[in-house]
Amino acid sequence: MTRTTTHKALRTTATTRATHTTAPITTPQVHYRIELADLHAHLYGVTLNIEQPTADQRVALPVWIAGSYMVREFSKQLISLTARQGNRSVAVQQLDKCSWQIDCAADTPLTLHYQVHAHDNSVRTAWLDTQRGFFNATSLCLRVAGCEDQPHVLALVPHTDLPTWAVATGLTPLTVNPRGFGSYVAADYDELADCPVEMGAFWSGQFTACGVPHRFVVAGATPAFDGERLLRDAQKICEAAIRFWHGNQRANIPYTHYVFMLNAVGEGYGGLEHRNSTALICQRADLPRLSDTPVLTEALKAKVDKPNDGYTTLLGLISHEYFHTWNVKRLRPAEFARYDYTQENYTELLWFFEGFTSYYDDKLLRRAGLIDDAHYLRLLNKTINQVLQTPGRMVHSVAQSSFEAWTKYYRADANTPNLTVSYYTKGALIALCLDLALRQHGVRNHSVSLDDVMRGLWARCQGGPMQEADLLAVLHELTGRSWARDIKAWVHGTRDLPLEDALTAHGVAVHHDPAQLAQRLGLRVSEDHSIQIKQVLSGSAAHAAGFAPGDEWLGVEIGGKTASAWRLKKLDELPLYAGRAKKLTALVSRDRQLLRLSLTLPPVKAQRSWRLAVLDAAKVKAWLD
């Protein structure tokens, strides 16, 4: 195992490589020139050259980005599109919300100019200010009709006032300077759209995983950031994932280099997968920190190196997005064999691609030695309770949830928990049930697991498009029996999964503790000097009382011979004032009108929360290894 880092300059702002030149395979017909036009106005300047346009050439900007299933209308940020052929201006006609027709002649080079406003600090769109630049091509680069499958060149122009800025991207360099500015090439528009670009005075480090070079850049890190530890832990995750998919067949790794782009912010979390890179966001407080103690004993070092909850969450995000390199970027829904950037792309398989990835992200942390069995069970425990505390699981299957992600999961509102279930969390539990059922089933005294299924799918589909039928076929091949009934019940049905029996059979004790007060009442709230009702769960005590999202719960009245009224600031104060009362009156403000709601308090044992623990360490280890 080899690893190299830029630890000699933890605050480094540029790589030290020499100018890189690679000859293009064919002469590209589409060239983009990206300039940092106005940092204070957050404007990119884009010049698009089309060498051989068609008459009345059409161009369009995508309405969504792969991996984020919501129409985001990127064209709303495009400004002042103009066109020229030689010295002649040509007319531009907008055809709809995201496409234009250019009144040009055929086969004469065409040049388009426009600007894009970039002030969305997410992984999905584009950002530009004096501290950092980032973009996905789906936000900046118009698609040229008829040229989508041809090579595309992207030229990144450095800003004269930003000499410390460098570039990180998964694109193939043509001619770039030591800081990474210059020209890159993509085989087609899909590749261009799948390789985001990070620019700035970021921290940069490198490591090798199973012979493949990986780069990790971090924007927004503080002086306490421990870059060495992040590289060391990311390397372990990458090697665990590569071994999972390829074992000793390392020649089959589907990329030659990989880039992690992490943006550390005050508040935020998320990631978006790409073919040989990923864009990530985390809280600065969740980054690993340098120890204040210069010399540590082995025992103290082990304690310091144990990840806290925030850092574990970040490692899980890294693991999740990296696993997507195989599971959704290569092995993918048949509906995504070719993206349609003009509208929603529907599939019922997000429970597999997001859910199964969610199952493996924490499991790979355990296999990489970054968490132990007990820690893994705590993470799994959280997922189980999230699903069991969502009424929508009883009305919406994960297949439906996948198909309607565009309108339900990605456009969540106060009633979302009652309408749908997350294909991430329930999909992960389906993977768990399937994995444990396979291990218990066995074949001819040989253990079979979900690992075998995933690798079998990779081989069957040749790392390409798949359907649910492919999953069923691989399951049948590995076990000799049909799993159609199980998949139909778990994926297309709405009954609870057989989790408890499966876990118990594999050495996990399942305890049922009283649920937290908010869950027993059926409320999701925020507390800041008062109780704000965010969501009311269907069929709950709060639902029966008439609580509604947006209400402010001010206080309670307790009846009886000695009636009393009390002001509430936190939900946990309710038992203090309610005493042994089983019924009370909730005083609620709704649109400044004061309401009195009759609330029947549910018994403590009415709802339970799961708590997992290791019962048989050998069985748990056999499952998680």
Side-chain angles (χ1 to χ4, degrees):
M1 178 168 64
T2 60
R3 177 170 62 91
T4 60
T5 73
T6 56
H7 64 279
K8 293 182 181 179
L10 283 181
R11 307 306 304 169
T12 185
T13 58
T15 61
T16 58
R17 64 187 184 278
T19 299
H20 188 114
T21 303
T22 301
I25 299 173
T26 60
T27 302
Q29 299 296 312
V30 181
H31 300 251
Y32 302 90
R33 177 183 170 89
I34 309 297
E35 299 177 271
L36 313 181
D38 191 329
L39 302 175
H40 298 293
H42 318 291
L43 292 176
Y44 284 102
V46 183
T47 302
L48 168 57
N49 290 309
I50 307 169
E51 294 297 321
Q52 293 182 308
T54 61
D56 298 326
Q57 177 69 61
R58 293 193 177 193
V59 295
L61 201 64
V63 304
W64 71 291
I65 183 170
S68 184
Y69 306 105
M70 179 177 172
V71 171
R72 297 186 183 275
E73 314 294 18
F74 300 131
S75 60
K76 66 183 179 181
Q77 304 296 351
L78 191 147
I79 306 166
S80 304
L81 176 60
T82 61
R84 301 185 68 85
Q85 281 190 307
N87 295 324
R88 182 175 68 91
S89 296
V90 293
V92 177
Q93 178 186 358
Q94 186 160 1
L95 302 177
D96 53 38
K97 64 182 181 180
C98 64
S99 63
W100 294 261
Q101 180 173 294
I102 315 302
D103 184 18
C104 63
D107 299 326
T108 300
L110 172 66
T111 300
L112 306 182
H113 294 283
Y114 56 96
Q115 291 183 321
V116 174
H117 181 258
H119 202 245
D120 179 357
N121 200 15
S122 75
V123 297
R124 300 175 295 266
T125 53
W127 174 267
L128 182 64
D129 66 4
T130 57
Q131 303 301 308
R132 173 178 177 261
F134 172 83
F135 67 86
N136 291 283
T138 45
S139 290
L140 260 64
C141 298
L142 289 165
R143 293 169 57 244
V144 180
C147 295
E148 295 92 341
D149 296 327
Q150 297 182 16
H152 289 54
V153 169
L154 183 75
L156 302 173
V157 181
H159 196 288
T160 55
D161 295 336
L162 300 170
T164 62
W165 276 33
V167 173
T169 180
L171 287 168
T172 301
L174 285 174
T175 302
V176 300
N177 69 18
R179 292 186 290 128
F181 285 96
S183 296
Y184 294 82
V185 66
D188 50 32
Y189 187 86
D190 277 350
E191 182 176 337
L192 181 69
D194 212 11
C195 293
V197 174
E198 177 80 27
M199 295 176 286
F202 46 67
W203 176 91
S204 179
Q206 300 165 348
F207 63 86
T208 299
C210 298
V212 178
H214 289 63
R215 185 182 184 192
F216 213 124
V217 302
V218 181
T222 69
F225 168 53
D226 187 347
E228 283 287 345
R229 184 178 179 189
L230 181 64
L231 292 176
R232 183 171 63 248
D233 293 344
Q235 180 189 35
K236 292 176 182 178
I237 292 169
C238 294
E239 291 184 337
I242 292 171
R243 286 193 298 268
F244 173 90
W245 287 103
H246 301 292
N248 295 321
Q249 304 298 316
R250 306 291 166 76
N252 297 324
I253 298 173
Y255 51 90
T256 58
H257 62 284
Y258 194 92
V259 183
F260 291 97
M261 291 168 271
L262 175 60
N263 182 25
V265 297
E267 297 288 338
Y269 172 82
L272 190 61
E273 69 276 0
H274 299 281
R275 64 181 62 193
N276 67 343
S277 65
T278 184
L280 310 167
I281 289 180
C282 77
Q283 296 185 58
R284 292 189 187 95
D286 293 341
L287 291 173
R289 302 182 192 181
L290 294 167
S291 171
D292 293 330
T293 306
V295 180
L296 300 175
T297 65
E298 286 302 317
L300 184 56
K301 186 177 187 300
K303 183 177 181 181
V304 170
D305 282 347
K306 186 176 182 180
N308 58 36
D309 289 344
Y311 184 44
T312 300
T313 299
L314 172 58
L315 293 178
L317 177 65
I318 292 169
S319 179
H320 183 97
E321 303 304 340
Y322 193 70
F323 197 81
H324 270 320
T325 308
W326 293 267
N327 195 40
V328 88
K329 296 312 300 183
R330 271 87 180 177
L331 190 65
R332 62 192 184 277
E335 296 87 348
F336 292 175
R338 177 141 189 149
Y339 295 123
D340 182 348
Y341 293 101
T342 68
Q343 62 183 349
E344 297 89 342
N345 289 214
Y346 294 101
T347 178
E348 289 190 345
L349 286 174
L350 295 183
W351 59 268
F352 178 87
F353 291 100
E354 292 293 354
F356 280 39
T357 298
S358 296
Y359 175 62
Y360 276 109
D361 54 21
D362 289 335
K363 199 171 184 185
L364 287 182
L365 296 187
R366 155 61 178 75
R367 290 180 177 177
L370 296 172
I371 59 174
D372 59 19
D373 293 353
H375 196 159
Y376 174 80
L377 289 183
R378 288 198 298 273
L379 296 173
L380 178 60
N381 203 149
K382 182 178 179 181
T383 300
I384 291 173
N385 282 328
Q386 285 176 340
V387 173
L388 294 180
Q389 293 168 6
T390 302
R393 77 187 193 283
M394 307 302 293
V395 297
H396 210 212
S397 72
V398 284
Q400 293 171 306
S401 175
S402 299
F403 193 83
E404 296 185 78
W406 301 85
T407 53
K408 291 189 174 177
Y409 184 82
Y410 273 88
R411 295 186 183 275
D413 58 27
N415 199 42
T416 294
N418 301 317
L419 291 176
T420 189
V421 65
S422 168
Y423 49 78
Y424 284 88
T425 51
K426 189 175 179 182
L429 297 186
I430 290 171
L432 168 67
C433 286
L434 186 55
D435 192 14
L436 297 184
L438 286 165
R439 291 170 184 272
Q440 196 166 9
H441 177 79
V443 179
R444 293 184 296 276
N445 297 321
H446 292 287
S447 175
V448 177
S449 72
L450 189 59
D451 298 9
D452 302 304
V453 174
M454 299 300 289
R455 290 189 284 264
L457 277 168
W458 180 265
R460 175 184 174 88
C461 301
Q462 299 181 341
M466 64 161 277
Q467 303 178 60
E468 187 177 302
D470 293 307
L471 173 62
L472 293 172
V474 170
L475 285 168
H476 190 274
E477 290 170 7
L478 290 174
T479 65
R481 79 164 179 90
S482 172
W483 290 79
R485 180 179 297 179
D486 306 88
I487 295 301
K488 181 178 180 180
W490 300 346
V491 173
H492 300 276
T494 57
R495 297 181 64 181
D496 281 336
L497 300 169
L499 292 169
E500 187 164 358
D501 290 344
L503 287 166
T504 302
H506 287 80
V508 179
V510 180
H511 302 283
H512 299 278
D513 298 333
Q516 296 294 317
L517 179 58
Q519 185 60 32
R520 295 204 308 271
L521 292 173
L523 290 174
R524 295 179 182 177
V525 304
S526 65
E527 297 172 325
D528 184 11
H529 303 295
S530 66
I531 303 170
Q532 302 289 335
I533 309 301
K534 297 301 182 183
Q535 295 172 326
V536 180
L537 303 185
S538 295
S540 66
H543 172 212
F547 281 88
D551 286 353
E552 182 182 11
W553 191 352
L554 301 174
V556 293
E557 286 183 347
I558 312 299
K561 294 182 179 180
T562 57
S564 59
W566 301 91
R567 178 78 163 91
L568 286 178
K569 288 190 176 181
K570 294 183 177 180
L571 194 58
D572 288 344
E573 296 175 343
L574 183 60
L576 173 67
Y577 301 128
R580 295 183 177 180
K582 296 192 175 7
K583 294 185 178 182
L584 53 81
T585 299
L587 306 177
V588 169
S589 172
R590 182 180 299 166
D591 192 25
R592 300 191 180 184
Q593 183 178 10
L594 297 180
L595 305 178
R596 299 162 63 90
L597 307 179
S598 297
L599 175 63
T600 299
L601 297 177
V604 172
K605 296 182 179 181
Q607 290 197 36
R608 293 291 187 169
S609 178
W610 282 34
R611 177 169 52 87
L612 306 182
V614 176
L615 180 63
D616 187 324
K619 286 185 177 181
V620 172
K621 184 177 185 300
W623 157 40
L624 295 180
D625 277 348

